[in-house]
Amino acid sequence: MGVADDNAGAPVRMVVIMPTWVGDVVMATPALRALRVRFPNTHLSLLIRPNTRDVVRGLPGVGEVMTWRGNGQVREAWSTARALRRGRFDSALLLSNSFRSAATVWLAGIPRRVGYARDGRSWLLTDRVAPLRAGRRFAVVSTVHYYNALVRRLGGCDPGESMELATSPEDDAAVQGRLEGWGIAEASPLVVINPGASFGVSKLWIPERYGEVADRLIAERGAAVVITFGPGERPLAQRVRDAMRHPAFLVDDPPGTLSQLKSLIRRCDLLLNNDTGPRHFAKAFNRRVVTVFGSTDPAWTHTDYPLERVVRIDLDCSPCHQKVCPLGHHRCMTDLTSDMVHAAAVELLDGYSTGLPLSVQTESPDQP
């Protein structure tokens, strides 16, 4: 194996197998930064899902962004492995936990394969990292720290929690043109609402309550409100706007792209959303963000980011991590009031960024 820097054994060509979800990809960026510092002369490539490729577009120090190929699990593994073999990689870092990702780099003949020993794939790895456990369950570890631990296995320093993303001039110009067309290019505060979440309905706060918060911010703070949505989420965004008394602007006709959403969030003064990937865009661009949590545990994605407020209800049944409420009442969202989200938004808009609690958490009104 060749040597790419002054440290013997440093990889010449490394591929990083990126996670599946948008938010997880953003939370992997501190680990990517640490890799660039640890191996400054290594050719670093990424293997990523096609639908999240735009998230990492423009990141510094990335030589190539490859996407998974083929349809179906077996064909996808074989087709992607052939592409990786042509890349002549000597090392693979698996941020994905799947068996398929480990099988793919093994089939590609990559000599060193570093990843977590889980999903029955230990025998496919050369460097096996044991995930932390609490009894028989996986311990609750922030995703950022989870990825950083793999970089430390390679001799890198802990990169911290600061995420990073890039936008392109073309996307910035497209967003600016849209805002100018609406007459809100100079609006302040500019509030973006992203009411969807791809995980399932248990993550969705009531769209009409987003509308209530938006109306109050327009009336009280002179805000301009833009509502955005992901694939299949247009009806949710439309419900927010239909519920409002004041005008708001829907990113539609044409819908915005994921890369344009980065530019929009970079431009905004406040993002209101559920526990979904774009909340981490706000962190990467140092924007204020209010995140509404229901069925999921904030600890899995927690970072000490002073410009985020987490709003959730403390119930005996939450967090359940189910896509649909198993008890049928969805109280973790229905009991969460617009007053709670409004209070968090106003706290951030009024300029309090440090020295305050990072979450707004309360018991349900019916709790003893």
Side-chain angles (χ1 to χ4, degrees):
M1 184 181 298
V3 176
D5 62 12
D6 294 335
N7 297 310
V12 176
R13 295 179 61 83
M14 172 182 283
V15 61
V16 180
I17 315 304
M18 297 295 287
T20 299
W21 300 100
V22 168
D24 290 350
V25 170
V26 185
M27 287 186 285
T29 59
L32 296 180
R33 181 174 61 248
L35 285 176
R36 298 198 305 268
V37 173
R38 174 68 179 88
F39 303 120
N41 298 315
T42 294
H43 179 91
L44 184 65
S45 297
L46 307 181
L47 176 63
I48 198 166
R49 292 290 167 189
N51 64 306
T52 58
R53 181 172 186 164
D54 284 347
V55 176
V56 298
R57 190 181 301 276
L59 277 180
V62 175
E64 182 182 14
V65 179
M66 309 170 66
T67 57
W68 288 84
R69 303 184 177 195
N71 297 315
Q73 295 189 16
V74 175
R75 182 177 297 178
E76 185 180 59
W78 275 108
S79 297
T80 304
R82 284 197 295 269
L84 291 175
R85 189 178 290 272
R86 290 193 294 270
R88 298 182 180 275
F89 295 105
D90 52 55
S91 298
L93 177 63
L94 286 78
L95 301 184
S96 167
N97 289 319
S98 70
F99 180 90
R100 189 188 323 178
S101 62
T104 299
V105 296
W106 180 80
L107 288 169
I110 299 175
R112 189 179 187 189
R113 304 176 297 277
V114 184
Y116 279 107
R118 53 185 298 174
D119 201 29
R121 66 184 194 168
S122 294
W123 62 281
L124 295 167
L125 304 174
T126 59
D127 295 65
R128 306 168 187 89
V129 180
L132 293 176
R133 290 184 177 273
R136 294 185 177 181
R137 297 176 178 271
F138 292 117
V140 178
V141 177
S142 172
T143 300
V144 172
H145 296 183
Y146 184 80
Y147 296 148
N148 289 353
L150 290 175
V151 177
R152 292 198 301 273
R153 178 61 178 262
L154 293 169
C157 296
D158 192 321
E161 299 178 338
S162 178
M163 304 172 209
E164 60 180 319
L165 292 174
T167 61
S168 71
E170 295 77 14
D171 291 325
D172 291 341
V175 168
Q176 180 67 13
R178 203 185 289 256
L179 296 176
E180 289 176 353
W182 290 330
I184 59 172
E186 304 303 322
S188 181
L190 177 63
V191 176
V192 173
I193 298 177
N194 183 51
S198 58
F199 175 76
V201 296
S202 64
K203 272 193 175 185
L204 301 179
W205 193 40
I206 301 169
E208 288 75 14
R209 293 187 186 174
Y210 273 120
E212 292 172 6
V213 175
D215 271 334
R216 292 178 67 177
L217 294 177
I218 293 171
E220 300 168 4
R221 294 295 192 277
V225 173
V226 175
I227 307 167
T228 188
F229 56 91
E233 296 174 349
R234 191 188 188 285
L236 283 173
Q238 188 66 51
R239 282 177 60 184
V240 175
R241 188 169 70 172
D242 289 347
M244 294 177 60
R245 302 187 310 274
H246 298 285
F249 304 93
L250 195 64
V251 181
D252 198 5
D253 196 23
T257 65
L258 189 60
S259 56
Q260 289 173 4
L261 180 58
K262 289 193 299 182
S263 292
L264 177 61
I265 291 175
R266 185 177 187 177
R267 164 67 180 80
C268 80
D269 297 291
L270 175 68
L271 172 66
L272 303 178
N273 64 170
N274 305 311
D275 172 27
T276 188
R279 71 181 270 238
H280 302 294
F281 292 1
K283 294 182 180 182
F285 294 127
N286 201 35
R287 300 288 88 192
R288 301 174 179 92
V289 54
V290 175
T291 304
V292 179
F293 271 82
S295 65
T296 51
D297 187 347
W300 287 106
T301 54
H302 173 74
T303 57
D304 290 323
Y305 180 65
L307 296 181
E308 181 177 41
R309 298 295 179 266
V310 167
V311 185
R312 67 181 297 267
I313 292 283
D314 187 15
L315 294 171
D316 291 340
C317 58
S318 180
C320 68
H321 294 282
Q322 299 298 311
K323 294 185 177 183
V324 178
C325 176
L327 301 178
H329 54 61
H330 204 199
R331 286 181 55 200
C332 60
M333 286 301 193
T334 59
D335 286 3
L336 199 153
T337 68
S338 58
D339 284 342
M340 294 168 62
V341 174
H342 174 263
V346 168
E347 179 184 289
L348 288 173
L349 287 176
D350 283 353
Y352 298 103
S353 61
T354 59
L356 293 172
L358 287 176
S359 66
V360 177
Q361 181 170 320
T362 185
E363 293 183 351
S364 169
D366 294 336
Q367 290 282 343

